[in-house]
Amino acid sequence: MEFMINGRNLAVSDRFREYAEEKIDKIEQLGDKVQRLDAKVTKEPNARQADSALTVELTVMQKGPVIRAEASAADKFAAFDLAYSKLLERLRRARDRRKVHHGRHTPVAVREATATLEPASTEQPIYAASSNHTGSDPAQAADQTGYEVDSDIPAGDSPVLIRRKVFSGVPMSLDDAVDNMELVGHAFYLFVDSQTGAPSVVYRRQGWTYGVITLDSKCADGPEDPHEELVAYRSRESATA
């Protein structure tokens, strides 16, 4: 397993790197053929509270879904331990899901489904790539404009930035979308519903409840009216088991 660690607004010491490397064996044991673990340590110099000045983000790249966790603390070692605990819990949850799917058809992982696609360029923003700009080097332009990230250089004279990210829309069920959202630790997850083919967003509500918003062009055209429904998690699997 490849281990990559980098710092933002601080230097990563050898002591911290060794501390992290001592714990990553457990990640490889729980993961599904883990290929790489990325660790990012960020120091917020203008943090309002000292106990959240340092943030550690851990991301596991594996055969299955990407699993991510992050935590903040006053010390980078404490932040790492908190993020590490969250990551192990999500890895165990993903492992339990694999056991449930054993003997059934398992959905194709995003990494496998997009293996043949050409990755998007990380050297320039989308508007520059689409219009075939051949101007100055983005890094040089960033130095001139004062923007911290190369791809933050705005188009034209506008100071307003819109960062656009394009991901592959692999169709999945609502249940799988909930699982993937929890594995990356986000409050919402954008996906393509395999049942309807419509773009949808699942989001976390209070307690162990979730909501989903679906865009349906048929409602705009008039054949169908907007509607709501209430379903139980994994209820369709239970009915067909």
Side-chain angles (χ1 to χ4, degrees):
M1 178 184 67
E2 183 180 3
F3 177 51
M4 301 292 293
I5 184 170
N6 60 79
R8 182 179 181 184
N9 298 330
L10 82 168
V12 178
S13 64
D14 293 338
R15 178 168 170 262
F16 181 78
R17 186 184 301 272
E18 293 172 358
Y19 180 81
E21 289 176 347
E22 291 175 356
K23 295 196 172 187
I24 62 177
D25 289 343
K26 189 66 174 179
I27 294 175
E28 193 168 13
Q29 294 173 11
L30 291 174
D32 184 12
K33 297 181 179 179
V34 178
Q35 300 171 353
R36 190 174 82 245
L37 170 64
D38 291 338
K40 180 180 179 183
V41 186
T42 303
K43 181 178 181 181
E44 298 294 345
N46 298 322
R48 296 182 178 179
Q49 297 181 352
D51 58 359
S52 61
L54 285 158
T55 300
V56 172
E57 179 182 337
L58 302 175
T59 305
V60 173
M61 305 293 183
Q62 58 177 359
K63 178 182 177 182
V66 174
I67 301 180
R68 173 184 169 276
E70 72 172 59
S72 298
D75 177 77
K76 58 179 175 290
F77 290 91
F80 179 89
D81 288 341
L82 291 172
Y84 179 75
S85 297
K86 291 181 181 179
L87 188 66
L88 292 185
E89 176 60 30
R90 289 166 187 169
L91 284 168
R92 291 190 182 97
R93 191 182 307 165
R95 184 185 61 179
D96 293 341
R97 288 296 309 149
R98 293 196 301 272
K99 291 180 180 178
V100 172
H101 281 291
H102 181 68
R104 301 183 183 181
H105 174 67
T106 304
V108 179
V110 174
R111 177 174 294 276
E112 181 180 350
T114 60
T116 59
L117 298 180
E118 183 179 353
S121 173
T122 59
E123 301 299 328
Q124 56 183 347
I126 291 178
Y127 69 81
S130 61
S131 56
N132 295 323
H133 284 275
T134 57
S136 60
D137 180 30
Q140 180 180 358
D143 292 338
Q144 295 174 355
T145 59
Y147 284 88
E148 180 180 356
V149 183
D150 296 349
S151 57
D152 277 350
I153 304 172
D157 298 327
S158 175
V160 180
L161 305 180
I162 301 177
R163 179 179 294 277
R164 180 181 182 184
K165 294 184 178 181
V166 180
F167 299 92
S168 59
V170 179
M172 65 179 65
S173 68
L174 174 58
D175 299 320
D176 288 336
V178 170
D179 290 339
N180 286 342
M181 179 185 68
E182 291 295 348
L183 290 177
V184 297
H186 288 171
F188 68 93
Y189 191 83
L190 176 64
F191 70 104
V192 176
D193 194 322
S194 58
Q195 183 178 5
T196 64
S200 304
V201 173
V202 63
Y203 59 94
R204 189 183 296 114
R205 303 181 67 188
Q206 293 182 350
W208 287 99
T209 60
Y210 301 90
V212 61
I213 299 174
T214 299
L215 298 180
D216 192 342
S217 59
K218 295 179 181 178
C219 296
D221 296 336
E224 294 186 8
D225 295 327
H227 58 278
E228 296 183 5
E229 63 176 340
L230 187 64
V231 297
Y233 175 75
R234 298 291 175 186
S235 59
R236 293 185 177 87
E237 287 188 1
S238 302
T240 58

